Amino acid sequence: AQSVTQLDSHVSVSEGTPVLLRCNYSSSYSPSLFWYVQHPNKGLQLLLKYTSAATLVKGINGFEAEFKKSETSFHLTKPSAHMSDAAEYFCVVSDRRDRGSTLGRLYFGRGTQLTVWP
Amino acid sequence: KAGVTQTPRYLIKTRGQQVTLSCSPISGHRSVSWYQQTPGQGLQFLFEYFSETQRNKGNFPGRFSGRQFSNSRSEMNVSTLELGDSALYLCASSSGQPSSGANVLTFGAGSRLTVL
């Protein structure tokens, strides 16, 4: 079975300091992993995805994530937070086994609300 | 090109009524999936359509249904509304073919349903 655990429901940082949002996953097969961001009253936007190429994945807006199979983790980082980064972030897993039969079934974590203080 | 468009953006219904939500995918995308987002349950998969066929369904009661048209536009319907159906309903589309396994979803802004 596929599942995602986001270890922090809320993270607060000061502008200009590093961001770390933690995610652990469980998947029976080689997973595809994603990070999505949701700003208030907006839909979900893809930040980055891992699909078994390089384990360090770079995304938009300076975010990156590292896939660590031994730790079943896919933590999201950014060297320097900006006020515009304040939003809710979702770690998502898609089981490769599902790919033959379905495109759209993703399993979402419960989200991490990022607050950025000036 | 235009993104995923969902209508209406906001609506208020009363218990027992039914509601239909619409989703227009990105031009050329043939896969449409629906998710329900609530504070209590988070984001949960409702169903997915590809070429007018439902390919997968989440764990929701039969009051939740959907369909896809030949132009890939999709609708979802909830009948006999309950208070617990109040949620943000998100539609997402994908360009990938099932065999390619490309499942990056582009989401719409959502339809926020309030049931009174």
Side-chain angles (χ1 to χ4, degrees), chain A residues 33-48:
Chain A
L33 294 159
F34 310 82
W35 277 97
Y36 279 86
V37 61
Q38 186 177 34
H39 291 274
N41 298 316
K42 293 193 175 181
L44 294 155
Q45 180 185 20
L46 178 69
L47 277 178
L48 49 82

Side-chain angles (χ1 to χ4, degrees), chain A residues 4-9 21-24 32-49 63 65 74-76 85 87-94 106-114, chain B residues 35-44 88 90 107 112:
Chain A
V4 175
T5 302
Q6 291 186 242
L7 300 170
D8 306 292
S9 59
L21 305 183
R22 299 181 294 165
C23 171
N24 286 110
S32 292
L33 294 159
F34 310 82
W35 277 97
Y36 279 86
V37 61
Q38 186 177 34
H39 291 274
N41 298 316
K42 293 193 175 181
L44 294 155
Q45 180 185 20
L46 178 69
L47 277 178
L48 49 82
K49 65 176 181 177
F63 285 95
F74 190 57
H75 301 334
L76 181 70
D85 295 329
E88 188 155 25
Y89 292 78
F90 293 92
C91 183
V92 183
V93 64
S94 172
L106 304 179
Y107 299 86
F108 284 79
R110 295 304 301 268
T112 298
Q113 183 66 46
L114 176 65
Chain B
Y35 289 80
Q36 181 197 62
Q37 185 177 23
T38 61
Q41 299 298 320
L43 278 146
Q44 294 185 289
L88 180 66
L90 292 164
F107 284 83
R112 185 166 296 280

Side-chain angles (χ1 to χ4, degrees), chain B residues 12-31:
Chain B
I12 299 174
K13 294 285 188 179
T14 57
R15 280 181 298 174
Q17 287 187 311
Q18 67 93 26
V19 66
T20 299
L21 308 178
S22 179
C23 173
S24 293
I26 290 173
S27 178
H29 284 192
R30 295 169 61 190
S31 171

Side-chain angles (χ1 to χ4, degrees), chain A residues 42-110:
Chain A
K42 293 193 175 181
L44 294 155
Q45 180 185 20
L46 178 69
L47 277 178
L48 49 82
K49 65 176 181 177
Y50 165 78
T51 54
S52 83
T55 56
L56 183 62
V57 182
K58 294 188 183 299
I60 62 171
N61 300 333
F63 285 95
E64 61 181 38
E66 185 172 9
F67 173 71
K68 292 186 176 180
K69 186 176 181 179
S70 61
E71 299 176 9
T72 60
S73 70
F74 190 57
H75 301 334
L76 181 70
T77 61
K78 183 174 181 178
S80 176
H82 191 272
M83 294 293 290
S84 61
D85 295 329
E88 188 155 25
Y89 292 78
F90 293 92
C91 183
V92 183
V93 64
S94 172
D95 197 315
R96 285 174 179 251
R97 179 189 52 178
D98 284 343
R99 283 184 171 183
S101 61
T102 181
L103 294 172
R105 182 155 198 170
L106 304 179
Y107 299 86
F108 284 79
R110 295 304 301 268

Side-chain angles (χ1 to χ4, degrees), chain B residues 18-74:
Chain B
Q18 67 93 26
V19 66
T20 299
L21 308 178
S22 179
C23 173
S24 293
I26 290 173
S27 178
H29 284 192
R30 295 169 61 190
S31 171
V32 173
S33 54
W34 290 87
Y35 289 80
Q36 181 197 62
Q37 185 177 23
T38 61
Q41 299 298 320
L43 278 146
Q44 294 185 289
F45 173 78
L46 280 157
F47 24 65
E48 180 213 350
Y49 289 87
F50 183 87
S51 294
E52 302 178 65
T53 301
Q54 186 180 88
R55 288 194 172 274
N56 207 344
K57 191 178 191 312
N59 189 26
F60 278 83
R63 300 185 296 107
F64 291 81
S65 62
R67 59 178 176 169
Q68 187 180 33
F69 302 95
S70 57
N71 62 358
S72 294
R73 190 177 69 85
S74 177

